[in-house]
Amino acid sequence: MFIYKLVFENFGVYRGRQEIDFSVSKESPIVLFGGKNGAGKTTLLNGLQFVLYGKRAANIGRTSADHEEFLIEAVHREESDDGESLYQKRKAGVEIEFEAVYDGELARFYVTRSWEKSGSESLTNFPEKLTVFQNGLPSEFLTKNWAEVMEEILPHEISSLFLFDGEKIDQLDRKGMVNNRFNAFIMGYLEEQGVATHFDALLSDNESQVKHLDMIPVECVVRNIATGSLCRRLGVEDGLDLEPPTFEFFLKNDELHDPMINEYHIASFGWATPAEVESMKVQTFRVNEILSKLFADGGMILVDFKLEFGRFSDQLLLGDEFTPDGCRLWDTDTREKLDKDRFRQGLGGVVEAYEEVALRLGVDLEAPIAA
Ligand code: C5P
């Protein structure tokens, strides 16, 4: 996807019609934006997401009311001639011109979203108008199906990996630190409770020292509540309490998308011995008991999680990591998701949720690290 032009009309701080040219050449291949706070850097990014994804853009709330409020708030406000008051423009819009592969062919798209205040300021008076042009011609089909078309061009869920600013980079950088410290805390706690792990020491914000294991290529998943792939596979109701908790093995194989396997597969292909299989099950259920209680004390439900084990001389140790990236955690009262599903489902606030989990467990993210 290559962006050529972004146009703002009375959008946020951008007054009147402002065209931003993104065209580059071999000699100058990058466009950089600089500006003081309030100059419109964030507005630019928000506008870019908004023109592409509309209501689904990351900076807008989830409901229709949020969307309408966003439209009202986004319209530029101008000072009156005497400087005494602000008045709002009547019409606002964002336009984008870009090139992308769609339906197997490279095409140039021009997308416009505009909205107009008609009469009173009530929310319902801000209907949004979308028009999509393909290779210079207006397309009724693309206009009608734009959300689906955009999913093919750049899926909304992964757009946040591309359309972000420096603040987001800081946040992503922070996630590594939060997870590293969180994992150290959980591994330490499990050791205290008698579960043998590979974890040795926290070395820095982004490094941990662990024992080198001969990893068993199998993932062990325990589920206390049905959600995620279990519901997709078995068609069971999302949110169902599982009593007793259920257990699944998956093969660690990215190309095959980690398929579910059973103990017979593990034995026939020699991925682990029957004793190791038994030990992995026992240890995973033990971790479930220990951590379910720990998270419950912090007002959270441990919904499900994944563990990996490896051999270290004659021992089977818990390896890999335990962080909100590999488990599901819901707030006990509200069932709000506090784990990687926030990222998977494009809910936003990923790092904030991970920090909240750490805070509730009493993990000190600022604590000095012993040399
Ligand atoms: O996707 P699914 O519902 O099977 O995930 C079950 C649990 O295992 C979730 O907590 C998920 O975060 C974790 N998991 C993981 N790594 C994978 C697959 C699942 O950490 N490759």
Side-chain angles (χ1 to χ4, degrees), residues 219 221 223 227-229 250 258 304-306 325-328 344:
E219 298 180 338
V221 170
R223 299 173 188 272
T227 193
S229 77
F250 295 89
D258 300 339
D304 56 29
F305 63 89
K306 184 257 318 178
D325 273 346
C327 68
R328 287 194 175 93
R344 294 188 189 106

Short mmCIF file of all heavy atoms in Angstrom, two decimals, residues 219 221 223 227-229 250 258 304-306 325-328 344, ligand 1:
data_model
loop_
_atom_site.label_atom_id
_atom_site.label_comp_id
_atom_site.label_asym_id
_atom_site.label_seq_id
_atom_site.Cartn_x
_atom_site.Cartn_y
_atom_site.Cartn_z
N GLU A 219 2.53 -27.81 23.00
CA GLU A 219 1.97 -26.78 23.88
C GLU A 219 0.88 -27.41 24.73
O GLU A 219 0.06 -28.18 24.21
CB GLU A 219 1.37 -25.65 23.05
CG GLU A 219 2.39 -24.95 22.17
CD GLU A 219 1.79 -23.82 21.35
OE1 GLU A 219 0.56 -23.84 21.13
OE2 GLU A 219 2.55 -22.95 20.93
N VAL A 221 -2.38 -26.64 26.95
CA VAL A 221 -3.37 -25.60 27.23
C VAL A 221 -4.41 -26.10 28.22
O VAL A 221 -4.97 -27.19 28.04
CB VAL A 221 -4.06 -25.13 25.92
CG1 VAL A 221 -5.25 -24.23 26.21
CG2 VAL A 221 -3.07 -24.41 25.02
N ARG A 223 -8.01 -24.91 30.11
CA ARG A 223 -9.09 -23.92 29.97
C ARG A 223 -10.07 -24.05 31.13
O ARG A 223 -10.59 -25.13 31.37
CB ARG A 223 -9.87 -24.15 28.67
CG ARG A 223 -9.02 -24.03 27.43
CD ARG A 223 -9.82 -24.44 26.20
NE ARG A 223 -8.99 -24.52 25.01
CZ ARG A 223 -8.74 -23.51 24.20
NH1 ARG A 223 -9.25 -22.32 24.44
NH2 ARG A 223 -7.96 -23.67 23.14
N THR A 227 -13.65 -20.33 25.49
CA THR A 227 -13.57 -19.15 24.61
C THR A 227 -12.53 -19.47 23.53
O THR A 227 -11.98 -20.56 23.50
CB THR A 227 -13.21 -17.86 25.42
OG1 THR A 227 -13.44 -16.72 24.61
CG2 THR A 227 -11.79 -17.87 25.92
N GLY A 228 -12.27 -18.52 22.65
CA GLY A 228 -11.21 -18.68 21.65
C GLY A 228 -11.42 -19.87 20.74
O GLY A 228 -12.54 -20.17 20.31
N SER A 229 -10.32 -20.59 20.46
CA SER A 229 -10.38 -21.65 19.44
C SER A 229 -11.29 -22.81 19.87
O SER A 229 -11.83 -23.51 19.02
CB SER A 229 -8.98 -22.18 19.12
OG SER A 229 -8.51 -23.03 20.14
N PHE A 250 -1.26 -29.09 21.74
CA PHE A 250 -1.09 -28.58 20.37
C PHE A 250 0.36 -28.82 19.95
O PHE A 250 1.26 -28.76 20.80
CB PHE A 250 -1.38 -27.07 20.30
CG PHE A 250 -2.82 -26.73 20.60
CD1 PHE A 250 -3.23 -26.47 21.91
CD2 PHE A 250 -3.76 -26.67 19.60
CE1 PHE A 250 -4.55 -26.16 22.20
CE2 PHE A 250 -5.08 -26.36 19.87
CZ PHE A 250 -5.48 -26.11 21.17
N ASP A 258 -0.09 -24.59 14.44
CA ASP A 258 -0.18 -25.28 15.75
C ASP A 258 -1.43 -26.16 15.85
O ASP A 258 -2.34 -25.87 16.65
CB ASP A 258 -0.20 -24.26 16.91
CG ASP A 258 1.06 -23.41 16.93
OD1 ASP A 258 2.08 -23.82 16.37
OD2 ASP A 258 1.00 -22.31 17.52
N ASP A 304 -7.80 -19.15 30.48
CA ASP A 304 -7.03 -20.25 29.90
C ASP A 304 -5.58 -19.82 29.76
O ASP A 304 -5.25 -18.64 29.92
CB ASP A 304 -7.61 -20.71 28.54
CG ASP A 304 -7.72 -19.59 27.53
OD1 ASP A 304 -6.92 -18.65 27.59
OD2 ASP A 304 -8.63 -19.66 26.68
N PHE A 305 -4.69 -20.75 29.48
CA PHE A 305 -3.28 -20.39 29.28
C PHE A 305 -2.55 -21.53 28.60
O PHE A 305 -3.05 -22.66 28.52
CB PHE A 305 -2.60 -20.05 30.62
CG PHE A 305 -2.55 -21.19 31.60
CD1 PHE A 305 -1.49 -22.08 31.62
CD2 PHE A 305 -3.58 -21.39 32.51
CE1 PHE A 305 -1.45 -23.13 32.53
CE2 PHE A 305 -3.55 -22.44 33.43
CZ PHE A 305 -2.48 -23.31 33.43
N LYS A 306 -1.37 -21.20 28.11
CA LYS A 306 -0.55 -22.18 27.40
C LYS A 306 0.81 -22.30 28.08
O LYS A 306 1.40 -21.27 28.46
CB LYS A 306 -0.39 -21.68 25.96
CG LYS A 306 0.34 -22.58 25.04
CD LYS A 306 1.77 -22.21 24.72
CE LYS A 306 2.10 -20.78 24.45
NZ LYS A 306 3.50 -20.51 24.20
N ASP A 325 0.42 -12.43 27.11
CA ASP A 325 0.46 -12.82 25.70
C ASP A 325 0.07 -14.29 25.52
O ASP A 325 -0.31 -14.69 24.42
CB ASP A 325 1.88 -12.64 25.13
CG ASP A 325 2.11 -11.24 24.62
OD1 ASP A 325 1.12 -10.49 24.45
OD2 ASP A 325 3.28 -10.90 24.37
N GLY A 326 0.21 -15.09 26.57
CA GLY A 326 -0.02 -16.53 26.43
C GLY A 326 -1.12 -17.05 27.33
O GLY A 326 -1.21 -18.26 27.57
N CYS A 327 -1.91 -16.12 27.87
CA CYS A 327 -3.03 -16.57 28.70
C CYS A 327 -4.20 -15.62 28.48
O CYS A 327 -4.06 -14.59 27.84
CB CYS A 327 -2.64 -16.59 30.18
SG CYS A 327 -2.36 -14.97 30.91
N ARG A 328 -5.36 -16.01 28.98
CA ARG A 328 -6.49 -15.07 28.95
C ARG A 328 -6.85 -14.71 30.38
O ARG A 328 -6.98 -15.61 31.23
CB ARG A 328 -7.70 -15.69 28.23
CG ARG A 328 -7.52 -15.78 26.73
CD ARG A 328 -8.83 -16.06 26.01
NE ARG A 328 -8.66 -16.03 24.57
CZ ARG A 328 -8.40 -17.11 23.82
NH1 ARG A 328 -8.31 -18.29 24.36
NH2 ARG A 328 -8.25 -16.99 22.52
N ARG A 344 -5.65 -8.96 19.68
CA ARG A 344 -6.24 -9.81 18.64
C ARG A 344 -7.55 -9.23 18.14
O ARG A 344 -7.87 -9.31 16.97
CB ARG A 344 -6.51 -11.22 19.19
CG ARG A 344 -5.27 -12.02 19.57
CD ARG A 344 -5.64 -13.45 19.90
NE ARG A 344 -4.55 -14.20 20.47
CZ ARG A 344 -4.45 -14.53 21.76
NH1 ARG A 344 -5.40 -14.17 22.62
NH2 ARG A 344 -3.42 -15.22 22.19
O1 C5P B 1 -6.40 -19.67 20.66
P1 C5P B 1 -6.78 -20.59 21.79
O2 C5P B 1 -8.15 -20.35 22.31
O3 C5P B 1 -6.54 -22.05 21.45
O4 C5P B 1 -5.76 -20.24 22.96
C1 C5P B 1 -5.80 -20.86 24.22
C2 C5P B 1 -4.78 -20.21 25.13
O5 C5P B 1 -3.46 -20.52 24.71
C3 C5P B 1 -4.86 -18.70 25.13
O6 C5P B 1 -4.59 -18.24 26.45
C4 C5P B 1 -3.74 -18.27 24.19
O7 C5P B 1 -3.22 -17.01 24.57
C5 C5P B 1 -2.72 -19.36 24.40
N1 C5P B 1 -1.94 -19.64 23.19
C6 C5P B 1 -0.63 -19.24 23.10
N2 C5P B 1 0.12 -19.52 21.99
C7 C5P B 1 -0.42 -20.19 20.96
C8 C5P B 1 -1.77 -20.61 21.03
C9 C5P B 1 -2.51 -20.30 22.16
O8 C5P B 1 -0.10 -18.65 24.04
N3 C5P B 1 0.33 -20.49 19.91
#
